[in-house]
Each structure stands twice: as C-alpha cells, then as structure tokens.
Amino acid sequence: QVQLVESGGGLVQPGGSLGLSCTATGLEYGIHHMGWYRQAPGKERELVARVTQTSRGMTTSYGDFVEGRFTISRDGAKDTVNLQMNSLKAMDTAVYYCYVDIMVGPRYWGKGTPVTVSS
C-alpha cells in the first residue's frame, strides 16, 4: 500500500521560514515526479514545486509565484522530498499536499499539511 507521510506544516510569521518533508513508502515502480501542490480556501490546487527524475538526473521546477523563495530537494535513496520555504507571505497560506507520479500507475497524494502565515 502506497503511503505519503508529510510533516513540517504550522504557523509562521510573514517573512519567516518553514520546511516541509514528505516520505513515500510502498512504491512498486520508480518515481517520475515528486513534489508539492497547495490549495488555499476558495482557490484551485496549484503546483508549488516538483523534482523530476530523468535519464540524465533530476530537474526541479516551481510555480511562478515562488520567485526564488522556495527550494525543493529529493533524497532518492529514501523516496523523500523536502521543501524549504523562505520569505513567506500571507498569500502562501494554504494546505500543502505532497504527491508522487510513478513510472507506471496513478498519481498518489498525501493527506495535506496546513501552512499558515500570519502575524
């Protein structure tokens, strides 16, 4: 059974930093994409960042709103992805969902971890 376990959400002041972590277990096939989406109240889910495994190594991509504030990294040996978020803004308040796209099969989602940026 595939499970994605997220950790690291919480409350932070504007301008502060927060780190999120996600570990996938039970995967039968290799990972193609692993990363984070977020969903704010009343808004659609949007891509925050992801790591893509290619034949030439790993590449990263980010949502336009990130503007260099976030860094995603992946530990391939542990099927773990980390998201370091700096210079957080109120607009970053959302539930953050980890996801995995594997080479063969469906997309898997974590249960979500809330991030609140407020003074």
Side-chain angles (χ1 to χ4, degrees):
Q1 182 178 2
V2 176
Q3 287 189 320
L4 274 63
V5 179
E6 302 144 326
S7 62
L11 173 65
V12 63
Q13 293 186 343
S17 298
L18 205 60
L20 304 181
S21 184
C22 174
T23 298
T25 60
L27 296 174
E28 294 187 2
Y29 297 97
I31 293 174
H32 185 43
H33 301 293
M34 189 171 186
W36 297 87
Y37 273 74
R38 72 183 188 184
Q39 187 166 20
K43 295 189 176 182
E44 294 186 354
R45 194 172 291 192
E46 59 182 351
L47 177 68
V48 178
R50 70 179 184 190
V51 179
T52 299
Q53 180 72 51
T54 71
S55 59
R56 289 173 289 181
M58 295 187 192
T59 62
T60 58
S61 57
Y62 298 89
D64 291 341
F65 59 85
V66 170
E67 298 178 326
R69 300 179 296 129
F70 300 172
T71 302
I72 190 169
S73 60
R74 185 183 153 206
D75 183 336
K78 299 179 180 179
D79 286 341
T80 295
V81 67
N82 299 301
L83 182 68
Q84 178 62 38
M85 302 185 292
N86 300 325
S87 302
L88 283 162
K89 308 174 183 179
M91 59 165 278
D92 296 316
T93 295
V95 177
Y96 285 68
Y97 296 91
C98 178
Y99 82 100
V100 166
D101 287 332
I102 57 175
M103 299 297 184
V104 179
R107 171 172 289 182
Y108 295 98
W109 292 96
K111 294 182 179 180
T113 183
V115 171
T116 302
V117 184
S118 175
S119 56

